[in-house]
Each structure stands twice: as structure tokens, then as C-alpha cells.
Amino acid sequence: MQPLTEQDIRASFINCSKGEAKRLAVPRDLEARPWDDLDFLGWRDPGAPDRSYLVTGRAGRLVGVSMRFQAAQRGFLHRSMCSLCLTTHPRGGVSLMTARKAGAAGREGNSVGAYMCTDLACSLYVRGKKALETGTRFEESLTVEEQIERTTGHLAAFLDKVYA
């Protein structure tokens, strides 16, 4: 992924108003992000613990999605799997992220959801650049490049639902 500026990020959102995009918390460490290892930029809002954001390239332009999630309610031994990168995490590591649909459907209150890594570090988990706090990723017969392609395909399918 190419490095992004705060202006690029704010202009990319498809499911919130320009005013909401102007007020959302953009990461302050953009220049320190591992851009070559990212398929998308994802972050949680430090001022709103139930909000997260995702920005990625799609059809030659940037697309940003504002999402909400609830804190984990499951038991200590429960593990969940991210629907994007297929990484399993213990309690709280995967959350149901819901995004308002773009356009009129979103203004009517329609939304879509997917289970994603709560820290939105899917790109780093797939590449082995970020270790899990407990446990490991399942060993797969796919190459890292094939896993990256699968992850970006799952992300594209989620974004298709936000657009629909």
C-alpha cells in the first residue's frame, strides 16, 4: 500500500458524512506505518472505544469505511477467527465490525458486518510481521502471497456489501 496523508484518509470515507470524516481520529504515526506490508490501513479510535476505521485502495481510488464494534463478551477459553485473514485469537482478539452501508441505504440505517481482527492488523498477521499474544496462526499449505490474495479478496467482498 502507498503511504497516505491525513487529507487522503479523510476524503476516502464512503459511509459517513464529510463532517464525520473531518472529526474522526486519524492515526498520528502515519509516517511510521509499515506501508509496504499493509493491504489496508486499519485503526481503532482511541477516543471512542467502539469505533474503528479501514482505508484501502479499490478500483484506482481510496475507499474508507467507518465501523463500530462491541467489546468481547465471550469466555476466557473461547477463540474466534477473523473472516479476512483467518487468524484465530483468544477472547477479544476478533470482533464483529459493523459498517453503515454507503448512500441512501446507509442513511436508512442499513448496515453490514464481518468478524475481523480487533486491532485490524490482518496484513501483518498474514505476513508473519506481528505475533499473536497467545498461540500461533494455523499452518497452511498456501504461500504467503496466496494468503495475502485471499485476505484482500475477503476485504473486497466486505466492501462490495458496504457499496450494495
Side-chain angles (χ1 to χ4, degrees):
M1 181 168 202
Q2 294 296 318
L4 302 176
T5 66
E6 182 176 341
Q7 296 83 357
D8 294 335
I9 293 167
R10 291 189 189 284
S12 71
F13 284 89
I14 62 169
N15 69 337
C16 63
S17 70
K18 289 185 183 195
E20 289 170 320
K22 185 178 179 180
R23 292 186 300 272
L24 64 84
V26 173
R28 297 290 166 220
D29 64 344
L30 291 175
E31 59 282 338
R33 295 287 171 134
W35 294 106
D36 291 337
D37 293 323
L38 297 180
D39 303 307
F40 63 87
L41 174 65
W43 72 99
R44 291 176 62 179
D45 188 333
D50 66 336
R51 288 189 179 265
S52 59
Y53 308 99
L54 185 149
V55 177
T56 190
R58 182 172 168 89
R61 64 178 270 232
L62 283 178
V63 174
V65 177
S66 171
M67 301 179 293
R68 289 181 173 255
F69 67 97
Q70 290 186 341
Q73 307 266 330
R74 301 253 166 101
F76 178 72
L77 296 176
H78 184 268
R79 295 183 69 80
S80 298
M81 182 181 285
C82 172
S83 65
L84 297 183
C85 65
L86 305 185
T87 299
T88 59
H89 294 271
R91 182 175 193 259
V94 172
S95 297
L96 176 61
M97 303 281 184
T98 57
R100 215 173 29 201
K101 290 185 128 194
R107 288 189 293 276
E108 292 173 5
N110 295 325
S111 62
V112 296
Y115 286 95
M116 297 182 196
C117 295
T118 303
D119 62 4
L120 296 169
C122 299
S123 301
L124 301 178
Y125 290 127
V126 167
R127 288 169 173 82
K129 303 281 183 169
K130 184 171 183 178
L132 295 167
E133 290 181 24
T134 59
T136 58
R137 283 184 40 93
F138 289 113
E139 188 173 324
E140 295 191 62
S141 60
L142 298 176
T143 66
V144 172
E145 291 75 24
E146 291 169 329
Q147 291 176 50
I148 292 167
E149 187 176 322
R150 179 186 60 205
T151 300
T152 57
H154 289 169
L155 177 58
F158 174 70
L159 293 174
D160 286 344
K161 293 175 187 173
V162 173
Y163 273 115

